[in-house]
Amino acid sequence: AGFEFEVCVSGVDESYGERENPEDIAEELARRKAQAVGETWEGEEALILGADTVVALEEGAGWGILGKPGDAAEAQRMLQAISGTRHAVVTGVCVVRSSDGALFQGSERTWVRMREILPEEIDAYVASEIGRASCRERV
């Protein structure tokens, strides 16, 4: 589309409290990110896109939400939890206009059916460069 863009880390708190609806969580986190970065563009005209993705497992009448793992052990537990399941992957987006704070937000849910993951596959993934990147301390 011809847009020039810059990637900015928002540094916002990604906790979400007692909310259980994965769409609400993903949208709120995306909004926090977009608004935090938007504040750094005060006085300039820019569109800021914030996004966040959560994985949600159906648990009875509610949801179990999997955020970013804090360490390798937590990543292993999360991978074991989604192994062999049908779970939701929800991405929230928020666009903020820096000049006046106007925003649009929404989310999309995708159902993913995961095959059984062997324990050695989980270990290899967590030990890999990709797995280590997903297990870093939060910024």
Side-chain angles (χ1 to χ4, degrees):
F3 291 108
E4 290 184 34
F5 64 92
E6 179 180 340
V7 177
C8 302
V9 177
S10 67
V12 299
D13 175 16
E14 294 189 35
S15 61
Y16 47 83
E18 296 299 316
R19 292 199 166 140
E20 290 190 20
N21 181 306
E23 283 81 4
D24 290 346
I25 293 167
E27 288 180 28
E28 178 181 332
L29 295 176
R31 180 186 48 76
R32 283 187 207 165
K33 291 176 179 182
Q35 288 178 322
V37 172
E39 290 173 5
T40 69
W41 286 82
E42 191 173 315
E44 300 181 56
E45 184 64 35
L47 293 175
I48 294 88
L49 171 65
D52 201 273
T53 300
V54 296
V55 174
L57 292 163
E58 292 179 296
E59 293 181 345
W63 293 96
I65 306 297
L66 304 179
K68 289 186 179 94
D71 57 27
E74 188 175 9
Q76 285 186 313
R77 284 191 299 277
M78 288 179 175
L79 290 168
Q80 289 166 344
I82 64 171
S83 177
T85 69
R86 176 181 177 260
H87 55 274
V89 176
V90 179
T91 298
V93 296
C94 181
V95 178
V96 172
R97 187 170 51 216
S98 63
S99 60
D100 62 3
L103 64 85
F104 163 82
Q105 67 183 34
S107 58
E108 187 66 32
R109 178 189 298 184
T110 302
W111 288 101
V112 175
R113 190 169 304 279
M114 179 71 72
R115 68 171 174 80
E116 291 286 335
I117 309 170
L118 299 173
E120 56 269 21
E121 291 173 316
I122 291 173
D123 292 342
Y125 180 77
V126 171
S128 74
E129 191 64 35
I130 295 170
R132 281 194 308 276
S134 68
C135 300
R136 279 186 249 150
E137 295 275 332
R138 293 184 186 170
V139 176

